[in-house]
């Protein structure tokens, strides 16, 4: 009986060991797959900066266009005011001054003409 008693536990251990080896090999492959997946996620979060850079670039362009758009509107408004001021006030004054001075110059030049 001692021989039979030793065979049964050895047989159970062998059956359990064989089953656990199969589970270990499947578990290791599954674990390796999960580890690789986790490493990919860690890599993408820590080392892949493209999404962050793209977001920052979009933000910069949006802010730049908004600020530049407002600046361009101010520049155009200033140009419009300057052109209006020139047409309404400066040009008539210049024309009047030029005509007065030109007529004075022509009168001074008449005695010298033949």
């Amino acid at each position: 009986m001692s021989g039979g008693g030793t065979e049964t536990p050895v047989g159970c251990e062998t059956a359990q060991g064989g089953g656990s080896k199969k589970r270990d090999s499947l578990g290791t492959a599954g674990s390796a797959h999960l580890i690789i997946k986790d490493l990919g996620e860690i890599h993408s979060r820590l080392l892949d900066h493209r999404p962050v850079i793209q977001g920052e670039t979009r933000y910069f362009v949006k802010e730049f266009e908004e600020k530049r758009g407002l600046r361009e509107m101010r520049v155009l408004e200033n140009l419009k005011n300057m052109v209006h001021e020139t047409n309404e006030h400066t040009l008539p004054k210049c024309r009047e001054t030029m005509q007065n001075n030109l007529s004075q110059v022509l009168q001074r030049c008449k005695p010298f003409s033949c």
Side-chain angles (χ1 to χ4, degrees), residues 1-15:
M1 284 203 157
S2 67
T6 55
E7 289 179 10
T8 305
V10 172
C12 289
E13 288 176 9
T14 308

PDB file of all heavy atoms in Angstrom, residues 1-15:
ATOM      1  N   MET A   1       0.794  -1.174   0.000  1.00  0.00           N
ATOM      2  CA  MET A   1       0.000   0.000   0.000  1.00  0.00           C
ATOM      3  C   MET A   1       0.846   1.251   0.000  1.00  0.00           C
ATOM      4  O   MET A   1       0.410   2.240  -0.540  1.00  0.00           O
ATOM      5  CB  MET A   1      -0.861   0.005   1.225  1.00  0.00           C
ATOM      6  CG  MET A   1      -1.987  -0.912   1.114  1.00  0.00           C
ATOM      7  SD  MET A   1      -3.078  -0.212   2.246  1.00  0.00           S
ATOM      8  CE  MET A   1      -4.495  -0.819   1.638  1.00  0.00           C
ATOM      9  N   SER A   2       1.942   1.186   0.576  1.00  0.00           N
ATOM     10  CA  SER A   2       2.788   2.358   0.573  1.00  0.00           C
ATOM     11  C   SER A   2       3.152   2.733  -0.853  1.00  0.00           C
ATOM     12  O   SER A   2       3.243   3.908  -1.188  1.00  0.00           O
ATOM     13  CB  SER A   2       4.037   2.135   1.427  1.00  0.00           C
ATOM     14  OG  SER A   2       4.847   1.146   0.825  1.00  0.00           O
ATOM     15  N   GLY A   3       3.303   1.756  -1.722  1.00  0.00           N
ATOM     16  CA  GLY A   3       3.585   2.061  -3.123  1.00  0.00           C
ATOM     17  C   GLY A   3       2.399   2.695  -3.775  1.00  0.00           C
ATOM     18  O   GLY A   3       2.499   3.620  -4.560  1.00  0.00           O
ATOM     19  N   GLY A   4       1.177   2.196  -3.429  1.00  0.00           N
ATOM     20  CA  GLY A   4      -0.038   2.771  -4.003  1.00  0.00           C
ATOM     21  C   GLY A   4      -0.295   4.155  -3.465  1.00  0.00           C
ATOM     22  O   GLY A   4      -0.783   5.034  -4.161  1.00  0.00           O
ATOM     23  N   GLY A   5       0.059   4.363  -2.190  1.00  0.00           N
ATOM     24  CA  GLY A   5      -0.157   5.676  -1.589  1.00  0.00           C
ATOM     25  C   GLY A   5       0.735   6.724  -2.202  1.00  0.00           C
ATOM     26  O   GLY A   5       0.353   7.870  -2.369  1.00  0.00           O
ATOM     27  N   THR A   6       1.933   6.329  -2.589  1.00  0.00           N
ATOM     28  CA  THR A   6       2.843   7.299  -3.178  1.00  0.00           C
ATOM     29  C   THR A   6       2.501   7.565  -4.620  1.00  0.00           C
ATOM     30  O   THR A   6       2.736   8.656  -5.118  1.00  0.00           O
ATOM     31  CB  THR A   6       4.292   6.803  -3.100  1.00  0.00           C
ATOM     32  OG1 THR A   6       4.381   5.526  -3.699  1.00  0.00           O
ATOM     33  CG2 THR A   6       4.769   6.761  -1.678  1.00  0.00           C
ATOM     34  N   GLU A   7       1.899   6.604  -5.288  1.00  0.00           N
ATOM     35  CA  GLU A   7       1.556   6.813  -6.685  1.00  0.00           C
ATOM     36  C   GLU A   7       0.410   7.802  -6.846  1.00  0.00           C
ATOM     37  O   GLU A   7       0.429   8.631  -7.747  1.00  0.00           O
ATOM     38  CB  GLU A   7       1.173   5.494  -7.342  1.00  0.00           C
ATOM     39  CG  GLU A   7       2.329   4.573  -7.539  1.00  0.00           C
ATOM     40  CD  GLU A   7       1.912   3.288  -8.173  1.00  0.00           C
ATOM     41  OE1 GLU A   7       0.772   3.200  -8.617  1.00  0.00           O
ATOM     42  OE2 GLU A   7       2.747   2.399  -8.230  1.00  0.00           O
ATOM     43  N   THR A   8      -0.555   7.741  -5.968  1.00  0.00           N
ATOM     44  CA  THR A   8      -1.717   8.613  -6.114  1.00  0.00           C
ATOM     45  C   THR A   8      -1.330  10.093  -5.979  1.00  0.00           C
ATOM     46  O   THR A   8      -1.647  10.884  -6.851  1.00  0.00           O
ATOM     47  CB  THR A   8      -2.814   8.241  -5.089  1.00  0.00           C
ATOM     48  OG1 THR A   8      -3.112   6.872  -5.234  1.00  0.00           O
ATOM     49  CG2 THR A   8      -4.040   9.061  -5.292  1.00  0.00           C
ATOM     50  N   PRO A   9      -0.603  10.477  -4.927  1.00  0.00           N
ATOM     51  CA  PRO A   9      -0.243  11.884  -4.849  1.00  0.00           C
ATOM     52  C   PRO A   9       0.654  12.312  -5.995  1.00  0.00           C
ATOM     53  O   PRO A   9       0.493  13.401  -6.526  1.00  0.00           O
ATOM     54  CB  PRO A   9       0.502  12.016  -3.534  1.00  0.00           C
ATOM     55  CG  PRO A   9       0.071  10.858  -2.715  1.00  0.00           C
ATOM     56  CD  PRO A   9      -0.280   9.786  -3.699  1.00  0.00           C
ATOM     57  N   VAL A  10       1.560  11.463  -6.432  1.00  0.00           N
ATOM     58  CA  VAL A  10       2.419  11.821  -7.552  1.00  0.00           C
ATOM     59  C   VAL A  10       1.585  11.987  -8.796  1.00  0.00           C
ATOM     60  O   VAL A  10       1.771  12.929  -9.561  1.00  0.00           O
ATOM     61  CB  VAL A  10       3.524  10.753  -7.755  1.00  0.00           C
ATOM     62  CG1 VAL A  10       4.291  11.018  -9.025  1.00  0.00           C
ATOM     63  CG2 VAL A  10       4.444  10.727  -6.569  1.00  0.00           C
ATOM     64  N   GLY A  11       0.612  11.087  -8.991  1.00  0.00           N
ATOM     65  CA  GLY A  11      -0.264  11.205 -10.162  1.00  0.00           C
ATOM     66  C   GLY A  11      -1.076  12.475 -10.118  1.00  0.00           C
ATOM     67  O   GLY A  11      -1.286  13.143 -11.116  1.00  0.00           O
ATOM     68  N   CYS A  12      -1.575  12.885  -8.945  1.00  0.00           N
ATOM     69  CA  CYS A  12      -2.363  14.117  -8.823  1.00  0.00           C
ATOM     70  C   CYS A  12      -1.485  15.325  -9.071  1.00  0.00           C
ATOM     71  O   CYS A  12      -1.879  16.269  -9.740  1.00  0.00           O
ATOM     72  CB  CYS A  12      -2.986  14.208  -7.426  1.00  0.00           C
ATOM     73  SG  CYS A  12      -4.314  13.040  -7.154  1.00  0.00           S
ATOM     74  N   GLU A  13      -0.266  15.258  -8.536  1.00  0.00           N
ATOM     75  CA  GLU A  13       0.632  16.381  -8.752  1.00  0.00           C
ATOM     76  C   GLU A  13       0.987  16.515 -10.223  1.00  0.00           C
ATOM     77  O   GLU A  13       1.034  17.604 -10.763  1.00  0.00           O
ATOM     78  CB  GLU A  13       1.913  16.193  -7.939  1.00  0.00           C
ATOM     79  CG  GLU A  13       1.702  16.388  -6.452  1.00  0.00           C
ATOM     80  CD  GLU A  13       2.968  16.105  -5.686  1.00  0.00           C
ATOM     81  OE1 GLU A  13       4.033  15.930  -6.314  1.00  0.00           O
ATOM     82  OE2 GLU A  13       2.892  16.082  -4.457  1.00  0.00           O
ATOM     83  N   THR A  14       1.178  15.366 -10.878  1.00  0.00           N
ATOM     84  CA  THR A  14       1.507  15.403 -12.288  1.00  0.00           C
ATOM     85  C   THR A  14       0.338  15.961 -13.089  1.00  0.00           C
ATOM     86  O   THR A  14       0.526  16.798 -13.965  1.00  0.00           O
ATOM     87  CB  THR A  14       1.870  13.990 -12.792  1.00  0.00           C
ATOM     88  OG1 THR A  14       2.866  13.454 -11.950  1.00  0.00           O
ATOM     89  CG2 THR A  14       2.336  14.021 -14.206  1.00  0.00           C
ATOM     90  N   ALA A  15      -0.856  15.563 -12.751  1.00  0.00           N
ATOM     91  CA  ALA A  15      -2.022  16.054 -13.470  1.00  0.00           C
ATOM     92  C   ALA A  15      -2.203  17.542 -13.216  1.00  0.00           C
ATOM     93  O   ALA A  15      -2.473  18.316 -14.130  1.00  0.00           O
ATOM     94  CB  ALA A  15      -3.275  15.286 -13.053  1.00  0.00           C
TER      95      ALA A  15
END
